[in-house]
Structure formats: C-alpha cells, structure tokens
Amino acid sequence: MFRPIARALTALIPLAAATALNVAPAAAADRIDFGRALQPIDGFGFSEAFQRATLMQGARGLTPQAQREVLGLLLDRRSGAGLSILRLGIGSSADSVYDHMPSIEPADPGGPGAKPVYTWDSSDGGQVWLARQARAYGVRRFYADAWSAPGFMKDNGSDSNGGTLCGLSGTSCPSGDWRRAYANYLVQYTRFYQREGIRITDLGFTNEPDWTASYASMRLTPAQAAEFVKVLGPVAARAHLKVACCDSFGWNEQAAYTSAIAADPQAARWVVTYTGHSYASAPESPPPTTRRAWMSEWSPNGSTWNENWDDGSGYDGFAVAQNVHDTLTKAGASGYLYWLGASTGATRALIQLDGATYHVSKRLWAVAAYSRFIRPGAVRVPVTAANPALEISAFRNADGSRVVEVLNTATTPVAADLAAGRGEPRTYLTDASHALTETGTVTLRHGTLAATFAPRSLTTVVIR
C-alpha cells in the first residue's frame, strides 16, 4: 500500500495530492520576467582532449553501435544532452603517446625567425573525427585551446612542468623571442581544421597559466597574458578568430587575468570571451568584465566511477546540477563546458567507456537538463523566488520558447506557483529514479505554472 506513495514522491506531484502527502502549500507566487534579459547564453560543451576522442572512436574496443550511442548521448537534442560547444586541445608534445597531445611543429625549426616545419595527420588525437561528428549534430562553436607552447619555445625547454613563453617580460631565453611564432602556430592549427571542413570559432593560448602540472602546462602572469594578447590578437583577427583568455584554474583566480587585460586598452580590444575553471574556486560571483565569460572546464573530484544522482559524494549528478545552476545564476556565465564527455576507468566524465561498451552517470543528465533545452542565442531572465529551497533559473530562447529550471534542494516535496506567462508546458524530471524523463504533470493556467517538486530533484519545464 505504500508503493504508490513512494512512486509519487519521485515524480512531480499534482497539487491536488499535496494535502494528502502533507506537503507545505505554495508560498506567494514566484515571478519569472521573460520580458527582461540578463546574460546571453553561448552554449554548453565538453572536451575530449588528450586523445580521449580516440577512445570514443573505438581505439580500445568501443563498438560502432556503442560509438553512435555515446555520440547521441552527448550531442543529440532529442534523446541526449544536445551539447553545442566542443573544446579542442591544441597539442604541444613532440610524441604521440596516449594522454599527450601531439604538436603540429614537433621540432625546433632553428629559431623564432626560421621557417616553421608543420606536420598534420588529419586526426589530431581523434579530435578531427569528433569535430566532424559534432558538426553533423549541429555544433557550430569550436573552441581550440592550447595547454602549452612547444617546449623549444619556452624557457624551460619542455612543454610540461610549467615554464614560460620566450620573449615575454621576465623571461631569459638564448633562443630569442618566440611570441609571434607561437601566435602563428596557434592560427596554423585552425587552418589545418579548416582543411578538414571544420571552422574553429574561438582560440585560446593558455590553460591554467597559474598552475604547474607534470603534463602540458605553461605559466603566465596576468601581465604576461595581457602582453601576449597584443601579439596574438591581430594575427587571430585576420583569420576571423575570436580570442578567449585565460582558463585560470579557479573562477576567482581568473579575475586577475581578466582585470589585467581589461585595464590595457590595446589588449582588451582583442579578447571576446573570458574563460575560467571551477577547481580552485567555484563560480559564485560575476567576473570583472562586461564581456562574455565562460566556465570553460570543470569536473568534480572523486576517486571512483559514480553513476548516482544524490549520494553526498560531491561528484554525483546533483552536485553537478548545483554547479551548473550556480555558474549561470551567481556568476552570470554565458557558457558552461564540462570536463570530460567520456573517458575510462575511475573517471568523473559524463560517460565511462569500458571496452566494447559504456556506462552513463547521472552527471550527464544533470548537464543535459540545461543543455538540451537552453540553446545558443538564449538569454537568462530574472526570477523572483519565494522559497529558498527551490533554486530557480529561467531562459528565453531565440525561437521564443521559454525554459524554467527548478532545483529542489530540500529533502521533502515543495510546492510552488510560478508566474510564467501563457503557453503549453512540457515537463522533464531528473532525480534518483528519472533521467530527464517527461512527466507532463505541471499545470500552466492563466499564466501561472503550478507544481509540487519532488525532493532533491531537477525539473525542467519548456513552455512554447
């Protein structure tokens, strides 16, 4: 006799049942102002850098059928996440060992003024294949970002373990000034993709410049980043590329790079998008710029593969949904890029590749609840929420459709009346028992969206 009640609690509960289930009645109507606009939305994305794309392509046994299914889970707008940005890793390694990103200029040509000797294998660690698949699904935003310059361009002689680009203030390199050569290198990478039929739209020259890693990494101070932007900017502009900077390893830490560039008019003119990660600090405040900002890389810490929705581990689906919500609402980000889409072992990727097959984490559906329905060109709109247990965000797409995201952080059902305007709603639920499952239990009458939201759940309402 208790099973029907238990099932009801895992889905959106009609208001008529609220009293019987001892659910607190809705507070005064919350309001969504679809007539106003906050930040624009460029999209949601992922990366398969460091040769992870070869795994998706079947390098370790993933079957062709499974490959198609994994691609659909990440890119399909009807059944998957519909991700709309692909972040590509620009390589710097002189070898092609797995987990390295091969350079398009593996050997020193003899100095910064010598003619470069570029090489191209039309694979780029599987990323060319993946970019083509993404384009077939409608992806039009391709962000190419470098973790490091090739070692011969740096003061430590290696593409790993930090080091700084030769020619920047504060460096001492007998080989000379490699700043312009590095700018040309980055643009040449995009030209190779152009040959493959992929137009790179956004270009970055550094990844976590404030973190020294044992793999590809390169240190830059905020002042050095601003200095190099002035070299890269004109070269990138001639190639019709948008410059992005600086992918700091923390959202708050990125502020110093953003401020340094914004304070220099010659540098500021070239940067279109400021990019920061969520490792050292989470996106909980707006960046110091009026230009667009992306949360360009994050996945939660964790020591095991986790498929759960809400287990308190901090790397479950609910934790990711919370991060997406905060990034969009507290930080005002225009883009959200997860790391990684798919990988192997004890990964925090959205999908685990396991030989011929794969496994899906609820993290995928946490992202998909936003990315499938909030499309490039949308804008976030203001929300006035009465109950702090319901974390609500709302968006207006360019086609006129409206999206309401409701994250119920309470451990009990919560009722709400949302003034959302007229239209036909479709409702999707993500929780421990549902993975973006259409429920159809929200009502929208006389401009008020009424529902009781299941505990510890994410509800997506699309109004047309």
Side-chain angles (χ1 to χ4, degrees):
M1 65 179 290
F2 296 105
R3 289 176 184 169
I5 295 177
R7 284 197 297 268
L9 286 172
T10 63
L12 283 174
I13 307 163
L15 284 180
T19 301
L21 291 173
N22 198 27
V23 177
D30 300 319
R31 178 172 178 78
I32 303 172
D33 191 347
F34 284 107
R36 292 178 56 199
L38 300 174
Q39 84 266 24
I41 302 297
D42 293 324
F44 299 79
F46 70 108
S47 181
E48 289 294 299
F50 290 93
Q51 300 194 50
R52 296 307 189 274
T54 64
L55 306 180
M56 287 182 61
Q57 199 175 1
R60 295 192 182 178
L62 192 68
T63 67
Q65 177 62 31
Q67 291 173 39
R68 289 190 290 271
E69 291 171 3
V70 168
L71 287 167
L73 285 166
L74 292 169
L75 296 165
D76 195 295
R77 287 188 58 187
R78 293 167 298 179
S79 60
L83 294 165
S84 54
I85 302 173
L86 180 61
R87 183 178 178 225
L88 302 165
I90 302 175
S92 54
S93 174
D95 61 51
S96 57
V97 174
Y98 176 73
D99 213 26
H100 290 184
M101 293 188 288
S103 171
I104 61 170
E105 190 178 9
D108 184 346
K115 183 178 180 180
V117 181
Y118 296 122
T119 64
W120 183 245
D121 64 3
S122 293
S123 172
D124 195 31
Q127 292 184 114
V128 171
W129 170 83
L130 179 57
R132 286 174 174 159
Q133 305 305 313
R135 185 189 59 186
Y137 275 97
V139 173
R140 296 294 179 266
R141 202 78 185 255
F142 294 93
Y143 172 32
D145 190 24
W147 271 242
S148 173
F152 58 81
M153 295 185 183
K154 296 166 60 183
D155 60 5
N156 70 341
S158 171
D159 79 317
S160 59
N161 297 305
T164 303
L165 181 67
C166 292
L168 290 173
S169 299
T171 60
S172 177
C173 302
S175 61
D177 182 353
W178 287 88
R179 292 176 300 170
R180 181 57 184 268
Y182 182 46
N184 292 338
Y185 175 93
L186 296 169
V187 171
Q188 179 60 43
Y189 177 88
T190 71
R191 292 189 178 121
F192 283 132
Y193 267 82
Q194 189 71 39
R195 289 187 197 175
E196 305 294 342
I198 303 297
R199 188 176 77 85
I200 303 295
T201 53
D202 303 82
L203 180 63
F205 60 91
T206 180
N207 174 80
E208 299 182 356
D210 39 2
W211 176 259
T212 300
S214 59
Y215 48 88
S217 56
M218 181 169 68
R219 298 295 296 244
L220 296 172
T221 66
Q224 289 171 330
E227 180 183 341
F228 184 70
V229 163
K230 291 183 283 189
V231 177
L232 175 63
V235 181
R238 286 193 291 272
H240 308 289
L241 296 162
K242 301 174 183 178
V243 174
C245 190
C246 300
D247 283 85
S248 168
F249 79 136
W251 189 259
N252 294 339
E253 289 73 13
Q254 170 62 31
Y257 290 86
T258 302
S259 296
I261 294 170
D264 185 335
Q266 294 182 44
R269 63 180 295 197
W270 303 114
V271 176
V272 175
T273 307
Y274 290 99
T275 52
H277 298 175
S278 294
Y279 299 114
S281 56
E284 295 183 342
S285 59
T289 180
T290 57
R291 298 197 177 178
R292 299 187 187 190
W294 290 359
M295 196 298 293
S296 52
E297 182 187 316
W298 179 74
S299 66
N301 290 326
S303 58
T304 62
W305 168 248
N306 187 314
E307 298 181 18
N308 298 325
W309 169 249
D310 183 26
D311 61 10
S313 66
Y315 54 109
D316 51 27
F318 195 91
V320 171
Q322 184 74 70
N323 184 268
V324 177
H325 172 84
D326 291 347
T327 299
L328 297 174
T329 61
K330 295 181 180 179
S334 292
Y336 185 97
L337 283 66
Y338 193 84
W339 178 264
L340 296 152
S343 191
T344 59
T347 178
R348 267 76 64 206
L350 304 175
I351 299 171
Q352 182 197 55
L353 305 178
D354 183 11
T357 188
Y358 62 91
H359 309 282
V360 181
S361 171
K362 279 292 180 73
R363 292 187 290 261
L364 171 72
W365 302 113
V367 175
Y370 294 87
S371 58
R372 185 193 294 183
F373 305 105
I374 305 165
R375 304 306 301 168
V379 293
R380 187 168 72 90
V381 303
V383 176
T384 302
N387 191 327
L390 298 182
E391 301 192 358
I392 305 172
S393 58
F395 306 82
R396 185 180 71 244
N397 281 312
D399 66 2
S401 62
R402 291 159 285 158
V403 181
V404 182
E405 304 283 359
V406 182
L407 189 66
N408 182 6
T409 64
T411 57
T412 58
V414 177
D417 294 333
L418 306 172
R422 298 179 184 274
E424 294 295 327
R426 298 183 71 173
T427 309
Y428 305 83
L429 177 63
T430 304
D431 64 5
S433 304
H434 302 82
L436 207 54
T437 305
E438 187 167 5
T439 62
T441 53
V442 162
T443 63
L444 181 56
R445 295 175 182 171
H446 308 296
T448 298
L449 189 153
T452 297
F453 298 94
R456 304 292 288 178
S457 68
L458 174 59
T459 300
T460 305
V461 183
V462 181
I463 305 169
R464 296 183 184 277

